[in-house]
Amino acid sequence: MRLGHRPERDKRITTHVGLVARAFGASEMLLTGRDAHIEESLKDAASRWGGSFASIRRLLEGRGHSLEGGGRKVVHLTMYGSNLPDVIDEIRGCQSLLVAVGAEKVPAEMYQLADWNVAVGNQPHSEVAALAVFLDRLFLGRELVEDFAGGLKIVPMQHGKQVIYPEHTEKI
Ligand code: SAM
């Protein structure tokens, strides 16, 4: 869940949050606020590159409404939280998780609503980096070898580029 997206400033970073969420094993992205452009780019990535990422669900910004996990346990990534290595084993025990990242300033209630406030190191950096590292530790690296069925496939190689295209797919 991306909190506090500001369409004029955060377009690129919010898109990257979505791309990282998808590539690192999340099943969907929740966005507070509305930005058709971001929804479009993420839908496009999900349809071209396969897998089961359900792109974006939009949430209304507002008390309780957007910040609760809808039955899921909630992790809020913040440099003020418990440091990741101290809590990740406990978090990994959850069946279903909502991971929230902020933009500029996160509403104070998020810190109370979260089941875990988690720092990826207690230094300021980036929501994109924090999300990537968190998901990688959560899934123990398994997401890097996941098969994203039904989309373009890159053939990994040391030099050069090779892509396998499903039928009727535009070249990249
Ligand atoms: N000044 C903002 C605040 O007080 O919340 C932080 C802005 S930071 C550029 C944007 C987001 O990056 C934060 O809301 C948080 O989700 C994430 N973030 C930055 N550093 C982090 C860290 N060390 N650990 C976890 N998340 C971090």
Side-chain angles (χ1 to χ4, degrees):
M1 174 165 67
R2 168 62 146 165
L3 296 167
H5 169 71
R6 299 155 297 179
E8 65 299 346
R9 291 185 53 174
D10 295 328
K11 221 178 257 313
R12 204 171 144 76
I13 296 284
T14 299
T15 304
H16 284 192
V17 166
L19 290 172
V20 162
R22 175 186 167 276
F24 285 70
S27 54
E28 66 173 341
M29 176 180 185
L30 310 182
L31 180 64
T32 57
R34 183 188 185 136
D35 194 320
H37 175 80
I38 288 173
E39 291 179 43
E40 253 337 286
S41 354
L42 291 175
K43 262 191 207 140
D44 184 56
S47 81
R48 281 160 71 72
W49 289 93
S52 55
F53 186 71
S55 77
I56 283 197
R57 207 139 55 83
R58 199 182 304 142
L59 290 176
L60 297 175
E61 196 109 32
R63 210 161 257 276
H65 211 81
S66 60
L67 302 182
E68 283 168 13
R72 291 173 278 207
K73 292 283 186 188
V74 176
V75 168
H76 167 223
L77 296 179
T78 164
M79 66 180 174
Y80 302 105
S82 312
N83 203 6
L84 179 67
D86 299 329
V87 287
I88 191 64
D89 290 339
E90 184 187 334
I91 294 172
R92 207 179 285 118
C94 289
Q95 277 292 318
S96 185
L97 210 58
L98 182 145
V99 183
V101 295
E104 198 175 46
K105 194 165 166 57
V106 170
E109 59 196 303
M110 187 71 237
Y111 291 80
Q112 304 310 319
L113 266 166
D115 295 287
W116 292 275
N117 289 291
V118 177
V120 180
N122 296 102
Q123 298 291 322
H125 48 84
S126 142
E127 51 271 50
V128 177
L131 182 63
V133 172
F134 176 81
L135 291 176
D136 186 59
R137 294 283 180 99
L138 180 72
F139 295 127
L140 298 167
R142 287 192 295 268
E143 77 287 357
L144 299 185
V145 290
E146 188 182 325
D147 180 32
F148 287 76
L152 305 183
K153 289 266 178 288
I154 288 176
V155 181
M157 58 182 59
Q158 268 199 315
H159 302 287
K161 300 178 185 175
Q162 191 182 338
V163 180
I164 299 172
Y165 294 89
E167 267 182 58
H168 311 302
T169 312
E170 266 176 52
K171 297 274 185 271
I172 52 171

